[in-house]
Amino acid sequence: MKKDSEEYICSKCSFKLETLGKLKSRKGVYFSFHYEEIKSLIWDFKFSNRKYISKEIAKFIKEPLNELIKELGIDVVIPVPISDTRMRERGFNQVEEFLKECNIKYETIERVKNTKHMYEIDSIEKRKENLVSVFKGNLNLHDKKILLVDDIVTTGSTIEEIKKELKSYNKTIEIFIFSLSVVRSYLKNKTNDGVK
């Protein structure tokens, strides 16, 4: 992959990612890539502040993601939020950026507490503790179909906490999940079968 260029992904890598990035669905999560396939791209996007990579990502997911929204009859798309601290550090929410590049409108919820990066926490239980009372999403979503969008699903703790928050205000909503990538260990974990 090329560095510091608007043409960040070389043609060979682009072809490979296009081949790998077909829409998949497992454990109740729709996703395009296994995290290992796109790890360096996501890492540079988020932690090297290469905001323009959102355009590259959109090339692979724009059409299937828009088709998924239509197929599921989604009423509202909600990106996983980042904290104000993370926003100041990074300058953007990576999920919002690739949604913009895909021309997808979305509603936002708040991340009211800054937390440790999830990759810094090994234990699933500690990840859950890290996310308690982190999100605030008092949107009026009654009887709506929601698509919650993330960039990486590692253990499912983040999406489960957001689902719990949204359902505390809206008992009649149906929530679906799309993630740019999913860690393989999540797909193997039998306890995740209830995610939708």
Side-chain angles (χ1 to χ4, degrees):
M1 294 184 183
K2 299 176 183 178
K3 303 292 182 182
D4 298 312
S5 164
E6 291 299 318
E7 292 294 324
Y8 180 80
I9 305 176
C10 69
S11 57
K12 184 178 177 182
C13 293
S14 183
F15 178 77
K16 183 180 178 182
L17 289 174
E18 189 174 340
T19 303
L20 293 170
K22 305 300 181 188
L23 188 66
K24 309 161 190 67
S25 176
R26 287 198 50 206
K27 304 288 185 183
V29 176
Y30 294 92
F31 64 101
S32 292
F33 297 94
H34 293 101
Y35 178 58
E36 297 78 7
E37 298 167 344
I38 199 170
K39 181 177 180 179
S40 62
L41 188 68
I42 291 175
W43 191 268
D44 277 358
F45 180 31
K46 290 170 68 170
F47 302 113
S48 297
N49 289 23
R50 292 188 167 103
K51 185 177 176 181
Y52 60 83
I53 291 177
S54 59
K55 294 178 182 177
E56 303 281 347
I57 289 170
K59 290 178 189 176
F60 306 113
I61 65 169
K62 182 176 181 177
E63 187 175 336
L65 182 51
N66 275 286
E67 285 178 3
L68 178 66
I69 289 168
K70 186 176 179 181
E71 180 185 319
L72 295 176
I74 296 297
D75 299 300
V76 180
V77 174
I78 299 177
V80 169
I82 62 175
S83 67
D84 290 342
T85 301
R86 204 76 75 227
M87 181 65 83
R88 285 192 295 272
E89 290 171 358
R90 192 175 300 156
F92 60 91
N93 176 328
Q94 68 280 359
V95 180
E96 289 185 21
E97 289 306 313
F98 68 68
L99 286 174
K100 288 174 190 173
E101 292 297 334
C102 291
N103 296 319
I104 294 171
K105 293 180 181 178
Y106 57 85
E107 298 283 342
T108 58
I109 60 173
E110 277 186 275
R111 191 169 191 137
V112 293
K113 289 197 305 189
N114 191 39
T115 55
K116 286 184 178 180
H117 288 291
M118 293 301 267
Y119 66 81
E120 296 174 344
I121 307 170
D122 293 330
S123 159
I124 291 177
E125 286 308 311
K126 287 183 180 177
R127 281 173 180 254
K128 288 178 180 177
E129 289 171 15
N130 190 47
L131 291 167
V132 171
S133 302
V134 166
F135 302 104
K136 183 168 183 175
N138 56 346
L139 299 173
N140 182 359
L141 302 170
H142 293 293
D143 298 322
K144 302 290 186 185
K145 288 188 175 182
I146 312 302
L147 186 65
L148 185 59
V149 181
D150 205 355
D151 59 340
I152 309 163
V153 171
T154 306
T155 65
S157 298
T158 301
I159 55 179
E160 284 303 311
E161 194 63 31
I162 293 174
K163 283 171 62 178
K164 190 191 306 179
E165 169 66 11
L166 292 175
K167 287 186 174 183
S168 71
Y169 290 95
N170 307 273
K171 305 296 183 189
T172 58
I173 59 174
E174 192 172 1
I175 301 176
F176 298 87
I177 310 297
F178 170 82
S179 183
L180 175 62
S181 67
V182 173
V183 173
R184 288 182 193 272
S185 59
Y186 172 82
L187 299 174
K188 294 175 184 175
N189 185 348
K190 297 293 185 186
T191 63
N192 293 318
D193 288 328
V195 176
K196 185 174 182 185

